[in-house]
Amino acid sequence: MTKIFAGLFFFILSFSINIGGLNICLTPPFIGWILIASGLGDLALSIPMMRHAVSAARVLAVYDLFLFVINSLWAGQFFSDVHAWFVTAGEVCGIYVFYVIAEGLTWYEQERQVSLDAAALRRWWKTLAVWNIPSALFLSFADRLWPAQQMPEEMQWIYLVICMAPILIYGLCTAIVYIGYLCAFSNTRRLYRTLDAARQ
């Protein structure tokens, strides 16, 4: 569970710094998926359902490593354009992994007749799934409206207010959804560890 939590932290809370014009991600998502895959493998010993998501998490690790390298080589714009008008396979795969985590812990809770508050985790997963589908399309659409520098200077501030407000709201809502899932998983992890300690 600790590996999965650490992996979710890497995936959800992305921190970057800019050095010499190069954007360096301090919490690259591919490391998160490696940790999640390893944690799912460990958890599968007691929750067989988790095995279904191990391969998906490994694929996502390779996928995000590829994008990380491409972006580091200044070629990321092509892939941004390719992803613009549809939900990517990576996003769908990620939603599936989060689904298996929530459902697997729900199954464990019911099978062992214990309380892990998995219902909260399932609710946040549903919110995440519903939000993630239109959000990629919105972000791509907003990205195409961004070239304010092509507008007359006196019009730029109006453009920024009209376009940036929805983008900021989008960013805030996305952060709330992902952090909500992370907090729900953290609570379930705490209860799981308490039960595991009690058994020992």
Side-chain angles (χ1 to χ4, degrees):
M1 293 282 278
T2 300
K3 291 180 183 177
I4 297 176
F5 178 78
L8 289 172
F9 181 86
F10 267 81
F11 175 73
I12 294 173
L13 304 178
S14 181
F15 298 101
S16 301
I17 59 173
N18 193 287
I19 300 178
L22 180 63
N23 191 48
I24 300 175
C25 184
L26 301 179
T27 55
F30 72 87
I31 294 179
W33 288 120
I34 291 171
L35 290 169
I36 289 172
S38 177
L40 287 170
D42 295 340
L43 209 54
L45 297 175
S46 55
I47 308 176
M49 186 185 299
M50 296 298 184
R51 289 197 299 266
H52 301 316
V54 174
S55 296
R58 289 172 179 168
V59 168
L60 283 166
V62 175
Y63 174 82
D64 278 321
L65 174 59
F66 175 70
L67 292 182
F68 179 80
V69 172
I70 289 297
N71 287 326
S72 298
L73 295 175
W74 307 95
Q77 184 59 44
F78 168 76
F79 292 94
S80 176
D81 292 340
V82 169
H83 293 168
W85 301 107
F86 58 89
V87 178
T88 66
E91 290 170 330
V92 173
C93 200
I95 291 173
Y96 171 72
V97 171
F98 292 155
Y99 166 78
V100 172
I101 291 172
E103 289 299 308
L105 290 169
T106 300
W107 174 87
Y108 183 86
E109 184 180 56
Q110 295 171 351
E111 184 73 12
R112 300 295 179 89
Q113 295 297 305
V114 295
S115 176
L116 297 178
D117 199 17
L121 190 61
R122 290 182 69 185
R123 285 194 299 271
W124 277 109
W125 174 82
K126 290 176 182 177
T127 305
L128 175 65
V130 170
W131 176 255
N132 205 50
I133 293 172
S135 66
L137 297 176
F138 171 81
L139 191 61
S140 299
F141 177 72
D143 184 60
R144 278 162 168 68
L145 294 177
W146 177 246
Q149 66 274 11
Q150 298 177 7
M151 303 181 68
E153 185 174 347
E154 61 274 10
M155 294 289 294
Q156 289 184 13
W157 70 272
I158 299 176
Y159 172 88
L160 291 174
V161 170
I162 294 173
C163 293
M164 286 302 297
I167 292 174
L168 291 174
I169 293 171
Y170 157 81
L172 178 61
C173 291
T174 300
I176 290 172
V177 171
Y178 277 110
I179 292 174
Y181 185 92
L182 181 64
C183 291
F185 182 83
S186 177
N187 184 49
T188 299
R189 166 177 163 265
R190 177 183 59 81
L191 294 171
Y192 183 89
R193 292 178 65 182
T194 299
L195 292 171
D196 194 44
R199 286 195 299 267
Q200 297 175 3

